[in-house]
Amino acid sequence: MRHARVFSFLVLFVGATMLFDSRPLGADEGMWLFNNPPTRLLKSKYGFEPTAAWMDHLRLASVRFNSGGSGSFVSSDGLVMTNHHVGADALQKLSTKERNLLKTGFHAKTREEELRCVDLELNVLVSIEDVTARINAAVQPGMDPAQAHQARRAAMNTIEKESFDKTGLRSDVVTLYHGGLYHLYRFKKYTDVRLVFAPEQEIAFFGGDPDNFEYPRFDLDICFFRVYENGKPARPEHFLKWSKAGPADGELVFVSGHPGRTSRLNTVAHLEFLRDKSFPYLMRKLYRREVILTSYSERSQENARRAQDELFGIENSRKARLGGLAGLQDPAILDAKRAAEAELRKAVAGRPELAAAVGDPWADVLGIIKVWEGILYDYDLLERGAAFNSDKFHIARILVRLADETAKPNAQRLREFAESNLDSLKRDLFSEAPIYDDLETVKLADSLGMFLEMAGPGHPLVQKVLAGRPPRERAAELVLGSKLADVAFRKKLADGGVAAIAASDDPMIQLARLVDPAARELRRTYEEKVEEPLRQAYARIADARFKLHGTDVYPDATFTLRLAFGTVRGYTEMGKSVPPWTDFAGLYERAAEHENRPPFRLPPRWIERKDRLDLRTPFNFVSTADIIGGNSGSPVVNRRGELVGIIFDGNIQSLVLDFQYTDELARAVSVHSSAIVEALRKVYDAQGLADELGR
Amino acid sequence: MRHARVFSFLVLFVGATMLFDSRPLGADEGMWLFNNPPTRLLKSKYGFEPTAAWMDHLRLASVRFNSGGSGSFVSSDGLVMTNHHVGADALQKLSTKERNLLKTGFHAKTREEELRCVDLELNVLVSIEDVTARINAAVQPGMDPAQAHQARRAAMNTIEKESFDKTGLRSDVVTLYHGGLYHLYRFKKYTDVRLVFAPEQEIAFFGGDPDNFEYPRFDLDICFFRVYENGKPARPEHFLKWSKAGPADGELVFVSGHPGRTSRLNTVAHLEFLRDKSFPYLMRKLYRREVILTSYSERSQENARRAQDELFGIENSRKARLGGLAGLQDPAILDAKRAAEAELRKAVAGRPELAAAVGDPWADVLGIIKVWEGILYDYDLLERGAAFNSDKFHIARILVRLADETAKPNAQRLREFAESNLDSLKRDLFSEAPIYDDLETVKLADSLGMFLEMAGPGHPLVQKVLAGRPPRERAAELVLGSKLADVAFRKKLADGGVAAIAASDDPMIQLARLVDPAARELRRTYEEKVEEPLRQAYARIADARFKLHGTDVYPDATFTLRLAFGTVRGYTEMGKSVPPWTDFAGLYERAAEHENRPPFRLPPRWIERKDRLDLRTPFNFVSTADIIGGNSGSPVVNRRGELVGIIFDGNIQSLVLDFQYTDELARAVSVHSSAIVEALRKVYDAQGLADELGR
């Protein structure tokens, strides 16, 4: 799983824990803020009280990947561990036709052999500050949503810039509880990140799409990077000690990572919108992209290599979202949500003062959703760029807007162009990651075709974009005619500002300019008529919850650092007992079952070295921790803060966690710490790396 | 390609031949009726005059496959040759987990070893009779479209039954020129069809989806069946002699087969409807089905085997339709169609008497299309069964309707239940073809999900169909609860008539009954408000064409027997010359290019026996013949009526042929007669079979 994933489930058993909206939390639920940990819950259920130092250590050893995912420091020399599928974006960008790192894996035997990544940025959360009052104070009573949005944006941009100027740290104002709270997160940023070790994708993603989101599982889904500062390995103060034994059955474990997005606090009307409009549209897009990219990939090994990471991401999203949609399509789930919502509303109504303050945010959400529905497709096609699925277009869009936005005062800029975000934005913009014109053309032709089909051939913008040509011809013309693959060319355009953009005859720049007025208008409608009013309505619901249930609630996931906890525990599925862990012996059995054919083929090294391995070594294990896409690569630690595993997936039943927590069958899936060391030593002869872990 | 395919193109060069609507035919255009061959054209262009005997011989040696495709008699002992991909449906149905005929191929060395097919039916067209006057006479002036439809259907059912009673032959009234003419086709029917030889799918479909609709090509896309009568090989009077040398470059060749469907005579409004509504919806369905079936297939070898033929069909349709849609999305094509239509309308307007008789059918088509658009999705979901994609549902639907329809007089029945069609319908209904519950569940869950998404959870029928369950659970319940896999159970229900159906507690029968009223209502709307008025409007356009241009025009393809002709001829693509044929040497080169990996992997036999083959043997060749999906398996003959090849595909540029003929780059692709004999003798040791050909 990765950042963009949404989880849900296929088979659901609705239990008492469902009505968490208005009841005390049960089981191992929650994606908790590090400045509001579930102290009472942990103490009462597990007799464990994490100290402030324990929390700080875990937070400061945790790492966020800008490519989407989590990780942790695992040595005093800046070694970072994450999932192979989180590192895959970096591996893909370091690969060429001659050097396919996803296929062969990689092992730097010396520091000198470590490969500097093209555009990877890692962040460590060093402080959290509540700025809710200041943000809300910027929104004056009587402001309409458009004014409120602009005021709020100005406050956020300003706070971030002040913080950046003061500390030199990356500073992000994050929205929590859909607008109930605003926190300022400051990050230490690492941009010199080097690849140390990655296994072959065949073992990292053994079982491929068929086994993705399934359990039992047999994946060595890990890779190692090292962060450098001033040309030398960084020496992080906090890193996780390695647990040689790993976790025991039933042991309490913690997960520190960045769950991407959940929709647990959504109103029923909002969930229905996801079910009836948003998810079906997304699936439609994913299905066609998967077919188009698969078809492209099958034409040659080199094509397959070029599209590999992107295709994995699409397949992965498709499976996750399909599970999510299946969850939403289960009347039992929605009925339970409906009951919980009714209960909350009743509780609010029972306290007249609260009721007066809260008003009817549920009705407001419903009204806002109607506006959203009206722009759903156009917003995605034009503003989010689904109509122009091409790296070159993405670059062109950023260049065009960079010129326009940086000409404005910081407070008035679109969020991603605010002063404190520019560094990271330019890192992406000037990335040397390869761009393949043939792949670009295939993707752009398909997405232009989708635009044409959805907006219709009579749409004025469709006609201007296609310029009288069929989508495939037009896509080839745009891609082949654009020089934006050249980073120096991009830099020149960026330096030239508005004048250079206006004068450019690059067809992709011209396309980005052509669609920008309509795209910006949609963005404005979305921000002012959807995002802002939704934020206000949800803030009122959050407020009601705080007042009724206290602050022992956690916000929906937002790709910010969270603490989850749970126990290592198997489950019973269709009367069959699923043990909490698999082992290497099981890996070889599964490969044999499939006659060692892809995606169940073992890399040659694993076949040759089978005899050296202790086949009883635990390989993957499950726990009840509350995780979701974005948690990929999260360290799993025990009470002593030792690393016992690394999250890489959830089982198919865990796909429900997008909408509600359950521990009946849903499980987080991790690679066991013992398996990692055993594989490094016996299969990869990586003694130095194994020795370094936890030191 | 197969019956269901629609062709179009990706790259188009619009030439003068486009405006065929109002100009004399050029080049090698046309899918001609055997009772109205292009005699003048052939004489003037090629100096060749086919005699009536020549035409009769070719027609009577031609065979139609009920599974969708064409073939021909190639020996005096009832040997029939077709494409491997036409025979694949039969091969799939004869396969089990232990015996995968698609993978291993098959060769009966003796008559005793020939395998009787489960439900294959072959038809030979023995006579054609024009019944236009009688059909049209049934439609009285002043009848509304509903009455006209019923009268026309009654006339068709009655004519067919009379013919069947008189001759004992399968008798079909076919609609030509969209309603301009009606012909009664009588067929000799063969139902004891046995598998004689099939190569491995790896060589039959070498290059897989990536090379499908591409050229140069290297496929041995053939298989052989033998028809039996009274337990003995049939002795057809007409069969094609084998040409050892095959065709020469530039030689005139003929294709006799069953092109499935073209839309060349469609009005522009009708084409726009296909472009904007019908094709996008179809693509949407194909994309999701391809992903779902691929995902199912990847789980195990056995899953892959079970879904193999169906998945091939979907991939094939997807590629063909995507080409078709790309053609429709090219403004140049539609503009040319627009110009041609304007020219025809002007010519009509220029002859006041004609104009008065013809009226404005173009405006009428536009109006009818609006009605069609209103029921497009529901009609496909409910009446065509897209919401219930399952063999068991298909069987249940037929059983339910069989009971209702056979209780009515023949003239009033739905066409497929008319007396003369019942034999073939029951052959399908009582087929022993295996049904796999796991595959059924996956397909049904997906299609129920699509129904839910498209109709919405509030739709009363959606709620009844799903019965409060999510699609996946409901699908499992329906599939696992149904006994319709048991043919004896089906027969008992069929024998029990309306009472047995009403009393049945089989959940799939109950589902079919539940949706039948709505489905039938949609069918009625379609037939009476779309099909019939469209037929009347197009009949008037056809009439105008006949009056303006004479009868030297051919009707759109309708999966009935047609004669096409063309020359063996290469082409120049992007400045590169593509020769008219490939050879075995090229096959081995292409496999090597792809490191012999699927779908470019050669079967072991082909690797072992490479040295025995004459590598210069021509393998596949192209010609300018006007073909389309459904022509798969069509014999290609020379002036002497000798078989020089067998059609199996069109190149990507030929996908335009759905909408218009072009011979600039579009080519029909055939297996060369020499390659077939060389492979049979040298690779498969099938001397007996090779010796039998043409004897």
Side-chain angles (χ1 to χ4, degrees), chain B residues 403-686:
Chain B
D404 291 338
E405 291 296 307
T406 49
K408 299 177 189 168
N410 183 47
Q412 289 169 27
R413 293 183 196 167
L414 293 174
R415 292 278 292 136
E416 66 272 30
F417 295 95
E419 211 55 52
S420 67
N421 289 324
L422 281 185
D423 260 15
S424 297
L425 182 115
K426 287 187 178 168
R427 193 165 170 72
D428 181 28
L429 177 60
F430 300 135
S431 166
E432 290 281 358
I435 293 176
Y436 303 104
D437 278 353
D438 62 332
L439 179 56
E440 286 275 289
T441 304
V442 164
K443 286 163 54 183
L444 185 58
D446 174 58
S447 54
L448 287 177
M450 190 174 82
F451 182 35
L452 171 58
E453 286 158 39
M454 298 202 66
H459 193 293
L461 201 51
V462 168
Q463 295 186 337
K464 281 186 198 155
V465 165
L466 291 176
R469 237 93 75 233
R472 171 171 285 256
E473 272 181 41
R474 181 64 177 143
E477 189 173 74
L478 287 163
V479 170
L480 302 178
S482 171
K483 300 188 198 74
L484 290 170
D486 175 4
V487 175
F489 180 75
R490 288 178 221 163
K491 283 191 172 148
K492 218 175 120 189
L493 275 173
D495 290 345
V498 174
I501 294 294
S504 175
D505 62 356
D506 191 278
M508 209 62 96
I509 292 285
Q510 291 180 338
L511 175 67
R513 290 184 66 208
L514 173 68
V515 300
D516 217 40
R520 278 179 176 272
E521 182 58 30
L522 286 159
R523 169 86 168 253
R524 212 169 58 85
T525 305
Y526 177 75
E527 287 183 345
E528 295 176 1
K529 298 195 172 149
V530 179
E531 193 183 47
E532 174 63 29
L534 219 43
R535 205 190 280 255
Q536 293 184 7
Y538 275 117
R540 278 145 58 210
I541 296 178
D543 199 44
R545 277 206 188 84
F546 292 148
K547 295 214 166 89
L548 287 164
H549 307 300
T551 53
D552 270 3
V553 291
Y554 59 91
D556 262 321
T558 48
F559 198 46
T560 51
L561 192 68
R562 303 296 178 89
L563 180 73
F565 62 94
T567 52
V568 175
R569 181 143 62 91
Y571 53 102
T572 302
E573 189 178 9
M574 310 272 208
K576 215 184 111 195
S577 168
V578 181
W581 40 65
T582 62
D583 59 21
F584 284 144
L587 166 71
Y588 287 98
E589 282 159 25
R590 189 141 178 81
E593 249 172 55
H594 288 271
E595 299 169 26
N596 206 42
R597 290 179 194 243
F600 299 92
R601 185 168 64 188
L602 290 167
R605 214 191 312 250
W606 281 79
I607 296 171
E608 290 155 21
R609 302 199 164 196
K610 182 179 173 186
D611 292 345
R612 299 194 192 180
L613 284 168
D614 176 355
L615 295 177
R616 302 248 196 81
T617 310
F619 194 0
N620 293 167
F621 70 88
V622 287
S623 69
T624 59
D626 191 359
I627 61 135
I628 203 88
N631 268 118
S632 286
S634 299
V636 185
V637 302
N638 60 21
R639 292 177 194 223
R640 291 180 300 282
E642 295 165 344
L643 189 142
V644 297
I646 173 172
I647 294 285
F648 74 96
D649 208 357
N651 65 0
I652 202 99
Q653 293 89 351
S654 81
L655 293 171
V656 71
L657 297 190
D658 192 9
F659 306 112
Q660 63 188 9
Y661 179 79
T662 158
D663 66 356
E664 183 134 4
L665 294 166
R667 291 293 182 276
V669 187
S670 305
V671 188
H672 195 282
S673 59
S674 305
I676 296 170
V677 171
E678 180 77 0
L680 287 177
R681 293 197 190 280
K682 308 275 184 72
V683 180
Y684 295 100
D685 296 332

Side-chain angles (χ1 to χ4, degrees), chain A residues 598-646:
Chain A
F600 299 91
R601 186 167 65 187
L602 290 167
R605 215 190 312 249
W606 282 78
I607 296 171
E608 289 155 19
R609 303 201 164 193
K610 182 179 174 186
D611 293 345
R612 301 194 191 181
L613 284 168
D614 176 356
L615 295 178
R616 301 247 196 82
T617 309
F619 194 1
N620 293 168
F621 70 89
V622 287
S623 70
T624 59
D626 191 359
I627 61 135
I628 202 90
N631 268 117
S632 287
S634 299
V636 185
V637 302
N638 58 23
R639 291 176 194 223
R640 292 180 300 282
E642 295 165 346
L643 189 142
V644 297
I646 174 172

Side-chain angles (χ1 to χ4, degrees), chain A residues 192-226:
Chain A
D192 183 353
V193 186
R194 306 192 190 173
L195 178 63
V196 177
F197 175 86
E200 307 86 344
Q201 190 171 41
E202 282 185 335
I203 187 68
F205 193 46
F206 178 82
D209 183 60
D211 270 8
N212 198 13
F213 298 108
E214 305 285 343
Y215 196 77
R217 195 70 178 280
F218 310 89
D219 284 7
L220 189 70
D221 194 353
I222 56 156
C223 65
F224 291 94
F225 295 94
R226 191 183 305 283

Side-chain angles (χ1 to χ4, degrees), chain A residues 214 275 299 301 457 594 597, chain B residues 214 299 301 457 594 597:
Chain A
E214 305 285 343
R275 177 192 64 189
R299 295 192 146 263
Q301 301 276 324
H594 287 271
R597 290 178 193 243
Chain B
E214 304 287 342
R299 296 190 147 264
Q301 301 277 323
H594 288 271
R597 290 179 194 243

Side-chain angles (χ1 to χ4, degrees), chain A residues 210 214 275-276 284 287-288 290-291 295 298-299 301 318 325 329-331 452-453 457 468 470-471 594 597, chain B residues 210 214 275-276 284 287-288 290-291 298-299 301 318 325 329-331 452-453 457 468 470-471 594 597:
Chain A
E214 305 285 343
R275 177 192 64 189
D276 300 337
R284 195 171 158 182
Y287 283 136
R288 71 185 284 161
E290 182 168 343
V291 169
S295 175
E298 281 175 350
R299 295 192 146 263
Q301 301 276 324
R318 178 254 304 157
L325 181 56
Q329 286 177 341
D330 185 349
L452 171 58
E453 286 158 38
H594 287 271
R597 290 178 193 243
Chain B
E214 304 287 342
R275 177 192 65 187
D276 299 337
R284 199 172 156 181
Y287 283 136
R288 71 184 284 160
E290 182 168 344
V291 170
E298 280 175 352
R299 296 190 147 264
Q301 301 277 323
R318 178 254 305 156
L325 180 57
Q329 286 177 342
D330 186 348
L452 171 58
E453 286 158 39
H594 288 271
R597 290 179 194 243

Side-chain angles (χ1 to χ4, degrees), chain A residues 271-500:
Chain A
L271 291 173
E272 286 172 341
F273 166 71
L274 296 181
R275 177 192 64 189
D276 300 337
K277 304 292 168 188
S278 179
F279 268 59
Y281 166 67
L282 178 64
M283 290 311 304
R284 195 171 158 182
K285 204 167 64 176
L286 288 173
Y287 283 136
R288 71 185 284 161
R289 286 191 179 175
E290 182 168 343
V291 169
I292 297 297
L293 273 197
T294 301
S295 175
Y296 167 82
S297 296
E298 281 175 350
R299 295 192 146 263
S300 74
Q301 301 276 324
E302 172 59 7
N303 278 17
R305 188 193 70 72
R306 291 178 179 191
Q308 192 163 357
D309 186 47
E310 184 164 355
L311 184 54
F312 163 75
I314 291 171
E315 289 178 347
N316 187 58
S317 294
R318 178 254 304 157
K319 205 161 176 180
R321 299 274 178 164
L322 197 55
L325 181 56
L328 290 168
Q329 286 177 341
D330 185 349
I333 301 270
L334 266 279
D335 286 349
K337 287 278 184 188
R338 229 167 255 126
E341 185 167 300
E343 207 170 329
L344 178 62
R345 294 178 76 164
K346 204 176 137 194
V348 169
R351 289 171 56 171
E353 203 177 322
L354 182 62
V358 166
D360 190 351
W362 295 275
D364 294 343
V365 170
L366 180 65
I368 298 159
I369 292 295
K370 295 281 163 214
V371 177
W372 194 349
E373 195 178 318
I375 60 164
L376 177 67
Y377 303 142
D378 282 350
Y379 178 70
D380 188 60
L381 288 165
L382 296 175
E383 171 58 19
R384 296 177 56 93
F388 317 104
N389 184 22
S390 132
D391 289 350
K392 285 187 176 174
F393 177 82
H394 173 70
I395 290 164
R397 156 71 59 88
I398 294 179
L399 283 169
V400 167
R401 292 198 172 170
L402 182 70
D404 291 339
E405 291 296 306
T406 50
K408 298 178 191 169
N410 182 47
Q412 290 170 27
R413 293 184 196 165
L414 293 175
R415 293 277 292 135
E416 66 272 29
F417 295 95
E419 211 54 54
S420 68
N421 291 323
L422 280 185
D423 260 16
S424 297
L425 183 115
K426 285 185 179 168
R427 193 163 169 74
D428 181 32
L429 177 60
F430 300 136
S431 165
E432 290 282 358
I435 293 175
Y436 303 104
D437 278 353
D438 62 332
L439 178 56
E440 286 274 290
T441 304
V442 164
K443 286 164 54 184
L444 185 58
D446 174 58
S447 53
L448 288 176
M450 191 174 80
F451 182 35
L452 171 58
E453 286 158 38
M454 298 204 64
H459 192 293
L461 201 51
V462 168
Q463 294 185 338
K464 280 185 197 153
V465 165
L466 291 176
R469 239 90 77 236
R472 170 170 287 255
E473 270 181 42
R474 179 65 175 142
E477 188 174 75
L478 286 162
V479 170
L480 302 177
S482 172
K483 298 189 199 74
L484 290 170
D486 176 4
V487 175
F489 180 75
R490 289 178 220 165
K491 285 191 171 148
K492 218 175 121 190
L493 276 173
D495 291 344
V498 175

